[in-house]
Amino acid sequence: MKRTHHCNELRSHDDGQTVTLAGWVHSSRDLGGVIFIDVRDREGRTQTVFDPSSLPKETFDRAAALRGESVILVTGKVRRRPEGTNNPKIASGEVEVAAQELEILNQADVLPFPVDDPEVASKVNEELRLQHRYLDLRRPEMVRNLRLRSKVATATRVYFDEQGFLEIETPILFKSTPEGAREFLVPSRLHPGKCYALPQSPQQFKQILMVAGVERYFQLAKCFRDEDLRADRQLEFTQIDLEMSFIEREDIYNLVEGLLKRVWKTALDIDIPTPFERITFEEALNRYGIDKPDTRFGLELADFTEEFRSSGFKVFNSAVANGGVVKAINAKGMACATQGQIEAMTECAKSFGAKGLAYIKVENGEWKSPIVKFFTDAEKAALARKLSIEEGDLVLFAADQWLTACEILGKIRLYCAEVLVTQGKLAVPGDRFDFLWVVDFPLLSFDKEQNRWYSSHHPFTAPVAEDVPLLTSDPRKVRGQHYDVVVNGVELGGGSIRIHQPEVQKVVFEQVLQIPPETVKARFGYMLEAFRYGCPPHGGIALGFDRLIAILCGTPSIRDVIAFPKTAKGTDLMTDSPAVVEPKQLRDLHIELKAAKKP
RNA sequence: GGGGGUGUAGCUCAAUUGGUUAGAGCGCUGCCCUGUCACGGCAGAGGUUACGGGUUCGAGCCCCGCCACUCCCGCCA
């Protein structure tokens, strides 16, 4: 080893020892007659002192010429700092190393952005940070994120090992199964014209592992989806993926609650209460207007369908007449909303297909609204009662088909909460974690444009047993044995009990999803066959590992918890990928490019 | 594919709403400084205002286009 100690190790009891530190020049203070250099490594930093009276001039001059972030090796004697010069801000602040030798391992150029000043560094343009990710990752905040990620990964592995799970790797080179997310294709050299695909998830392999008798599988699995990126979505990401045999939904709830309890304890030393609350998909939509509600605050939706069934306000009564609903929320204290905010909400509502956004402002004891003149006293009384309307409130309405109306107000609810938080009228504590299970999702959703049913989750999800007969007669009513785990309005993960009978799976593929039998055979034939040779009932779940870490780190973007993330356009600014390849490489893959090459 | 935001010195930001030679702090270079830790002092260098057009007597600012980053919608079985 080149060093004897790391930079957060020396304390006053090391006084007198001769030590060697290795690290980066964090900062240097050249006072002319004496130079202080803080040497930093990933553990912390220690002050070294270069005193010309006890050093060759040549060594002193080299120390004076060091630039920030150069890598050095300093040998010297540990000593207590003189009275009154301790630095309480750093853990090694009671001592310093009186340098005797200096080896410059790598003289750094002037940096493109500062890494020593956390105030400035955290504000640096992300483009620049990604271009020089190796510098960005030196920042303490990023080091903390990487460490926490590693710790949680280890805690996860230990937990699953304790629970009797096997960690099993599944192939990265898989087969295209174009249901669902767009896939990355990998052309085969050995098989001209054929392609592998990178897995969107190890779903099919893990189910096959259950048929194989593994019983309990888990993996920190890399997944790939060629879809547009977001703050919480990358082209490649990591899932805590697991599958178990001979279980029911309750077993998964229990297992995952145990995992998250362990993770929160390990990462944040927080005891989260279990079991988690459960809410049905229908109730989540009815109360919060979204299937992943943030339950840290109220602002719940209320239903007024019956009250407005024969209302004098045509927009409402016709919505009900068409089988829709009338719903409203009370944004407490938001009567002062600006015209701009009302417009922003209206735009949001319109993006869901609403024609407008009706509202009532309660100001100076008066209901100010373009529509309140259509309301009867009974209607007003119902509103006032169900929404506990008070001075200063803002009531917002949606009248539409059930799902649409709920979703509109769900968005509005989040928008209002954000505004109220910035105005200090609503507290949403960042250190509070509201976990819940969302259950009883509809197994199927209807695609109006393509005029067919599609799986809400994925086609392997088992229907609730008593709903199986409805599969072909009334698909809308079939509930899936699907569950999502949600925290603070973030979908942490989802899974289901799977279909383990080949004939049910076949009905779902061919009769419900209307996939032609030959396509089913080509894509999923091996699964249906496997299910015929002794398939245990099984189920599982996958948790977004990057999202999980981001929540624990308190950052809104998973880029902050991934060492080398891609930009919103899917490029890597450090390596400049994706990039043009050599014609020979394409020839080997039997590929001819049509698109114009960009240099 | 669509909508919003941002782009000015190496970095973070100004520029009195279209008006002289585009400024500040940090960083950088040089000099001074023996107890600093955001060291201090003096001096200095550093700009195609992302890029390309246009309007104007005059554009960092207005208009059109384009690029990059970012947030959102679509998309994410």
Side-chain angles (χ1 to χ4, degrees):
Chain A
M1 295 290 274
K2 286 180 181 292
R3 61 182 172 193
T4 60
H5 295 73
H6 65 66
C7 293
N8 192 11
E9 202 170 356
L10 297 172
R11 301 289 183 266
S12 44
H13 57 76
D14 295 306
D15 190 16
Q17 265 199 76
T18 296
V19 300
T20 300
L21 298 179
W24 287 261
V25 174
H26 182 75
S27 66
S28 71
R29 296 169 292 282
D30 184 347
L31 274 60
V34 64
I35 305 167
F36 298 98
I37 292 178
D38 285 1
V39 186
R40 186 199 71 237
D41 61 20
R42 64 172 215 196
E43 306 300 330
R45 53 190 225 245
T46 300
Q47 174 167 281
T48 62
V49 191
F50 290 78
D51 186 340
S53 64
S54 56
L55 276 177
K57 181 172 189 310
E58 179 271 338
T59 305
F60 187 79
D61 288 347
R62 279 190 299 128
L66 279 173
R67 267 192 298 264
E69 295 302 309
S70 295
V71 179
I72 59 174
L73 210 56
V74 182
T75 301
K77 216 168 222 177
V78 182
R79 67 186 184 206
R80 290 197 168 88
R81 293 192 185 194
E83 193 72 26
T85 63
N86 287 359
N87 183 0
K89 288 184 199 163
I90 58 175
S92 66
E94 289 183 3
V95 296
E96 60 191 10
V97 173
Q100 289 156 350
E101 287 167 43
L102 168 68
E103 189 179 339
I104 300 171
L105 301 171
N106 184 290
Q107 171 76 282
D109 260 340
V110 175
L111 302 176
F113 62 90
V115 303
D116 60 328
D117 183 341
E119 295 269 321
V120 179
S122 61
K123 282 164 69 185
V124 170
N125 187 356
E126 193 168 2
E127 192 175 353
L128 201 64
R129 291 171 51 203
L130 290 174
Q131 230 169 67
H132 305 276
R133 190 61 160 175
Y134 39 86
L135 293 177
D136 191 36
L137 292 177
R138 284 183 202 167
R139 296 167 44 222
E141 193 188 342
M142 297 302 284
V143 174
R144 183 204 63 157
N145 292 358
L146 292 182
R147 261 183 205 264
L148 194 137
R149 185 178 176 119
S150 173
K151 257 181 115 170
V152 171
T154 301
T156 300
R157 290 200 164 94
V158 169
Y159 177 79
F160 281 120
D161 182 60
E162 287 168 7
Q163 300 289 325
F165 281 73
L166 307 187
E167 181 170 16
I168 299 175
E169 291 149 285
T170 52
I172 296 296
L173 294 176
F174 179 41
K175 180 175 101 167
S176 174
T177 52
E179 300 280 311
R182 193 179 298 110
E183 301 166 315
F184 286 97
L185 294 179
V186 182
S188 164
R189 174 182 61 86
L190 296 172
H191 300 273
K194 292 186 174 172
C195 286
Y196 303 96
L198 306 184
Q200 320 169 26
S201 86
Q203 182 62 36
Q204 293 172 47
F205 284 108
K206 70 175 177 177
Q207 287 192 242
I208 294 289
L209 284 171
M210 294 304 103
V211 183
V214 165
E215 296 193 21
R216 292 181 172 215
Y217 142 94
F218 90 101
Q219 182 180 195
L220 293 180
K222 257 303 176 63
C223 304
F224 305 86
R225 293 179 190 174
D226 188 7
E227 298 289 350
D228 284 3
L229 300 86
R230 291 281 194 283
D232 62 351
R233 274 158 44 184
Q234 284 272 307
L235 300 181
E236 51 181 306
F237 61 100
T238 306
Q239 285 186 343
I240 302 175
D241 190 49
L242 67 98
E243 196 78 9
M244 296 169 85
S245 295
F246 310 117
I247 51 131
E248 295 166 327
R249 282 177 279 185
E250 295 294 331
D251 300 294
I252 295 286
Y253 301 159
N254 202 9
L255 178 82
V256 171
E257 284 163 4
L259 170 70
L260 293 174
K261 200 184 241 313
R262 175 79 58 92
V263 164
W264 252 255
K265 186 70 183 171
T266 306
L268 303 177
D269 196 27
I270 289 179
D271 293 297
I272 56 172
T274 53
F276 299 163
E277 295 275 328
R278 297 189 201 163
I279 185 171
T280 64
F281 169 82
E282 192 181 355
E283 188 184 352
L285 264 296
N286 266 329
R287 289 172 60 193
Y288 303 102
I290 193 166
D291 62 359
K292 45 177 183 180
D294 189 341
T295 55
R296 287 174 298 172
F297 56 92
L299 295 183
E300 290 190 24
L301 282 55
D303 188 282
F304 294 96
T305 307
E306 290 317 310
E307 285 83 348
F308 287 105
R309 184 173 292 281
S310 48
S311 169
F313 185 40
K314 191 159 178 284
V315 175
F316 286 3
N317 70 41
S318 66
V320 179
N322 289 326
V325 298
V326 177
K327 297 188 81 90
I329 62 166
N330 180 0
K332 282 238 157 269
M334 250 183 84
C336 55
T338 62
Q339 200 53 41
Q341 285 165 339
I342 299 270
E343 264 169 40
M345 289 189 276
T346 306
E347 280 313 304
C348 169
K350 281 183 179 168
S351 74
F352 273 83
K355 281 149 209 88
L357 183 68
Y359 64 90
I360 303 171
K361 282 182 175 184
V362 184
E363 279 180 312
N364 306 320
E366 201 183 329
W367 287 21
K368 295 179 181 169
S369 163
I371 59 163
V372 79
K373 60 186 176 222
F374 300 110
F375 293 175
T376 63
D377 286 344
E379 286 163 355
K380 286 188 214 171
L383 285 169
R385 178 168 44 80
K386 276 198 191 174
L387 292 169
S388 341
I389 295 174
E390 295 173 321
E391 174 68 20
D393 290 354
L394 173 67
V395 178
L396 298 139
F397 294 89
D400 213 308
Q401 293 303 303
W402 175 74
L403 187 62
T404 309
C406 291
E407 285 180 337
I408 290 168
L409 289 184
K411 291 276 183 192
I412 302 290
R413 174 178 176 266
L414 292 177
Y415 179 88
C416 290
E418 207 174 295
V419 172
L420 288 168
V421 164
T422 57
Q423 292 178 347
K425 291 175 181 167
L426 182 69
V428 182
D431 59 351
R432 181 171 146 190
F433 298 97
D434 276 17
F435 290 89
L436 67 152
W437 289 105
V438 182
V439 299
D440 282 354
F441 283 81
L443 184 73
L444 300 155
S445 308
F446 194 73
D447 183 336
K448 278 182 203 150
E449 281 169 26
Q450 296 192 42
N451 194 38
R452 67 182 193 100
W453 294 96
Y454 63 95
S455 300
S456 305
H457 182 46
H458 60 48
F460 312 113
T461 302
V464 169
E466 70 227 49
D467 295 352
V468 172
L470 299 170
L471 266 180
T472 43
S473 61
D474 194 357
R476 185 183 311 275
K477 286 210 177 120
V478 180
R479 290 163 297 166
Q481 295 202 48
H482 170 57
Y483 32 79
D484 273 0
V485 59
V486 171
V487 59
N488 297 354
V490 176
E491 183 193 326
L492 245 192
S496 60
I497 300 298
R498 325 296 184 187
I499 296 169
H500 73 284
Q501 290 134 324
E503 47 296 354
V504 178
Q505 186 68 73
K506 213 159 182 283
V507 167
V508 169
F509 280 144
E510 294 179 4
Q511 294 182 43
V512 179
L513 301 178
Q514 303 275 305
I515 306 174
E518 57 277 14
T519 308
V520 169
K521 197 171 173 222
R523 282 185 199 157
F524 306 110
Y526 73 99
M527 279 187 96
L528 292 172
E529 188 187 2
F531 288 0
R532 296 206 320 258
Y533 302 132
C535 177
H538 61 284
I541 192 168
L543 307 182
F545 188 62
D546 310 282
R547 285 186 193 174
L548 175 73
I549 304 300
I551 290 163
L552 294 169
C553 289
T555 171
S557 167
I558 63 171
R559 290 189 300 273
D560 288 337
V561 298
I562 295 173
F564 302 104
K566 294 187 175 45
T567 66
K569 280 261 160 59
T571 63
D572 178 337
L573 295 178
M574 188 177 73
T575 65
D576 195 23
S577 124
V580 169
V581 296
E582 295 297 320
K584 177 173 187 317
Q585 295 174 281
L586 292 174
R587 278 201 304 275
D588 283 350
L589 294 170
H590 322 284
I591 287 177
E592 217 172 283
L593 289 185
K594 259 192 169 169
K597 277 182 220 166
K598 272 193 197 168

